[in-house]
Structure formats: C-alpha cells, structure tokens
C-alpha cells in the first residue's frame, strides 16, 4: 500500500484516498485524522477522528482503532461524527466489544453543523453540510490569532497597560479557515460554504473525470465530477486544492491528462492529485 504526503507551508498531511476502497488522511501536528477507512496500525496514536460519513471505505477501520487503543491502554479517543449516525455507530462498537470480550474506551461525539470544537490553542474546527447519499458532513479547521483592536493602535504602552488594568481587552480574535475536508459530496459543498472556498487548503472529493462517467452519474451517486470543478473555477479562493477519492478505474496518467486538458491555468496551478503514481 502506497501512502501519499502533502505539505503546504509547513502543514503536513499523509494518508491514502481511493474511491470506494479506502480513505484516511492524517494531520499529525494537530493530532487528528479525517476518516479511517482501513486498518492502519501506524496511526493508532492519533487521538481524534473526524468522520464524514459511515460508508465503509471511510469508516471500516474504526472498530480496529478503538480496540487497539483500548488494548494498549491509550487515552480514550474522540470520534466526531454526524449526529444522526452516532447511535448506530455506538451499537456497532458495543457489539465488537462484546465479541472481543473486553471493554472499549471511546468517546463518540455527534455534532450539529456549525458546532465549534477546540483542537489546541489557536485551532478549532466546525462540521459543515455536505451532500451525499447518506448522512454526512465535511470539516473546516480554523486558525485563530489575537490582533490589536484598531482603536488601540495609536495608544502608547502606558495607556494600554492602564486600560488592561481596568479589565479592558485590547485584542480581538481573528479566525481564518485553514483546511477543509469534504468526504464524499456533490459540488454544493463548495458552492454553499464560504469557509470551504476560502480555506487555504481544500481536500475535495473528485471521483469522476471522464465523459463515460459524466456529471449526471456523479450527482446520482452523491459525488463530484472534475467538470463541475472546472465550471466553478472562479469560485475557488484556496491556495491549494487537493483532489481525493479518484475512481480506481483510472490510471494516474489518465487523471493527469484530464487535469491538464480540462482545468484552466488559474486553477491548475493550485491543483494537486492526492494519490500514488499509477500506470
């Protein structure tokens, strides 16, 4: 199995994403992974999973992950997921726990769209609506910084100190979308979520690239087609767009060829294929 790495301005991601087969992408520095669609013993130490939906190519590794962390007596992991599927996922893990004959330690956290979850100082994420065939959500990670309020900019240090002693806060929180991850979705995930379009890094599902599997077929199955991305090229304000979930029916050379032929230059410069070389 060939894993892929992607690095943008020092923020590194690694994993694999193959349409209908397996998807899991890890952000080691922020201690989380998007989805866990295969059993990967090397990533058991990551303490959070941000699950987009329950199709097995995105979720099948979760019982193994929870079991292994329990056996190794690692801290209880947190698995964030669409609120609608939390009860059934809880039942699945309970059954596996009974079959294996020991208690699973796991915190399942069903989230509503827009609910804020802190990662570590300076970072938090929110689930955003996606458009798939089953309950699903994408995730946007935000970076926060403290900035001096404009009305304080002309004050000297003594004046600022006096105001702070009176309990006034000279700063405000500035949030900016850092990375968004789509999971499986129609193009509406991009069209209807401003934070997604403005994220510095966007991991975007693109399963189909050719005319044999056209836009109507993609939409029927709750996926995105390359032609839809091209048609909305002007909307993407991202610094990097990483295409994931390509169908296994395509070779790497075919994917490169379609990107080269179809994608306009302004978009092509920031487009990346997240997959190992295929021949």
């Amino acid at each position: 199995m060939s894993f892929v790495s992607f690095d943008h301005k020092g923020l590194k991601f690694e994993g694999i994403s193959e349409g209908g087969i397996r998807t899991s992408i890890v952000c080691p520095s922020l201690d989380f992974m998007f989805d866990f669609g295969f059993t990967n013993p090397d990533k058991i130490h990551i303490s959070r999973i941000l699950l987009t939906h329950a199709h097995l190519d995105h979720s099948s590794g979760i019982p193994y992950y929870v079991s292994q962390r329990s056996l190794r007596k690692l801290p209880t992991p947190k698995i964030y997921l669409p609120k609608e599927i939390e009860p059934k996922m809880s039942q699945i893990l309970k059954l596996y726990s009974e079959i294996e004959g020991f208690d699973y330690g796991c915190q399942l956290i069903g989230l509503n769209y827009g609910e804020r979850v802190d990662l570590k100082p300076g970072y938090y994420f929110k689930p955003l609506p996606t458009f798939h065939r089953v309950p699903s959500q994408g995730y946007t990670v935000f970076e926060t910084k403290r900035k001096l309020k404009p009305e304080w900019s002309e004050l000297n240090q003594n004046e600022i100190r006096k105001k702070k002693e009176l309990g006034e806060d000279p700063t405000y929180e500035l949030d900016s979308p850092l990375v968004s991850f789509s999971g499986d979705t129609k193009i509406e995930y991009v069209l209807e979520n401003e934070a997604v379009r403005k994220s510095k890094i966007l991991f975007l599902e693109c399963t189909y690239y050719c005319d044999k599997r056209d836009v109507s077929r993609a939409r029927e199955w709750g996926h995105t087609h390359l032609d839809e991305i091209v048609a909305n090229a002007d909307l993407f304000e991202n610094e990097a767009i990483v295409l994931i979930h390509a169908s296994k029916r395509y070779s790497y050379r075919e994917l490169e060829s379609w990107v080269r032929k179809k994608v306009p230059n302004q978009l092509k410069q920031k487009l990346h294929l997240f997959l190992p070389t295929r021949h």
Side-chain angles (χ1 to χ4, degrees):
M1 185 186 303
S2 298
F3 294 101
V4 184
S5 293
F6 176 76
D7 190 312
H8 183 73
K9 295 183 177 179
L11 190 61
K12 184 178 181 180
F13 300 86
E14 54 191 29
I16 195 166
S17 184
E18 300 173 307
I21 308 298
R22 53 191 164 222
T23 288
S24 184
I25 297 176
V26 182
C27 182
S29 64
L30 294 179
D31 190 32
F32 72 81
M33 49 186 151
F34 294 119
D35 291 343
F36 201 58
F38 62 103
T39 56
N40 185 355
D42 294 334
K43 302 305 176 188
I44 298 301
H45 65 283
I46 300 295
S47 70
R48 301 182 189 89
I49 296 176
L50 279 56
L51 181 66
T52 60
H53 66 292
H55 279 156
L56 289 181
D57 57 321
H58 294 257
S59 70
S60 64
I62 288 178
Y64 173 83
Y65 167 81
V66 176
S67 171
Q68 285 293 302
R69 287 189 65 95
S70 299
L71 281 173
R72 300 180 193 184
K73 301 190 185 311
L74 294 173
T76 301
K78 294 181 179 180
I79 301 176
Y80 301 93
L81 69 171
K83 202 172 190 68
E84 189 174 344
I85 68 174
E86 179 188 347
K88 291 182 179 179
M89 184 62 72
S90 179
Q91 291 177 27
I92 289 170
L93 293 177
K94 183 176 183 295
L95 288 173
Y96 267 107
S97 174
E98 292 175 1
I99 290 171
E100 289 211 274
F102 64 89
D103 291 335
Y104 278 7
C106 176
Q107 188 175 359
L108 290 178
I109 306 170
L111 297 176
N112 295 309
Y113 297 145
E115 191 171 343
R116 173 172 170 157
V117 179
D118 290 326
L119 283 169
K120 69 176 187 178
Y123 298 91
Y124 68 89
F125 72 85
K126 290 182 178 181
L128 296 174
T130 53
F131 302 82
H132 196 37
R133 297 186 299 111
V134 296
S136 63
Q137 60 196 25
Y139 296 92
T140 296
V141 177
F142 293 83
E143 185 176 17
T144 68
K145 295 181 179 179
R146 302 300 301 183
K147 296 285 187 179
L148 188 67
K149 294 176 181 176
E151 61 268 26
W152 290 57
S153 60
E154 296 183 1
L155 300 179
N156 61 42
Q157 292 298 317
N158 288 333
E159 291 172 320
I160 291 177
R161 186 176 65 255
K162 288 179 180 179
K163 283 182 171 290
K164 290 175 68 174
E165 289 173 352
L166 293 173
E168 296 185 48
D169 186 351
T171 65
Y172 67 97
E173 186 177 83
L174 180 65
D175 300 348
S176 58
L178 179 61
V179 55
S180 287
F181 183 85
S182 69
D184 292 358
T185 182
K186 298 179 185 178
I187 191 66
E188 279 80 357
Y189 168 69
V190 174
L191 305 183
E192 298 188 12
N193 292 313
E194 182 181 19
V196 171
R197 300 191 300 273
K198 292 181 177 293
S199 291
K200 290 181 181 178
I201 305 166
L202 170 58
F203 284 90
L204 180 59
E205 182 247 302
C206 184
T207 301
Y208 300 129
Y209 287 68
C210 68
D211 295 335
K212 290 182 179 179
R213 294 291 190 278
D214 61 10
V215 169
S216 63
R217 178 67 176 271
R219 295 187 64 79
E220 177 185 356
W221 289 94
H223 293 302
T224 298
H225 195 290
L226 180 64
D227 290 353
E228 296 176 285
I229 296 172
V230 171
N232 293 281
D234 292 340
L235 294 181
F236 292 90
E237 301 179 40
N238 320 92
E239 295 178 4
I241 302 169
V242 187
L243 300 185
I244 60 174
H245 206 265
S247 170
K248 289 281 282 184
R249 63 173 45 86
Y250 303 130
S251 70
Y252 185 85
R253 290 176 181 173
E254 286 177 310
L255 295 171
E256 278 195 322
S257 176
W258 279 313
V259 168
R260 186 170 59 252
K261 292 175 181 177
K262 291 184 174 186
V263 179
N265 287 333
Q266 76 271 19
L267 189 60
K268 191 183 302 179
Q269 294 172 0
K270 52 188 177 182
L271 210 61
H272 306 268
L273 294 172
F274 192 82
L275 73 172
T277 301
R278 301 177 188 163
H279 300 287

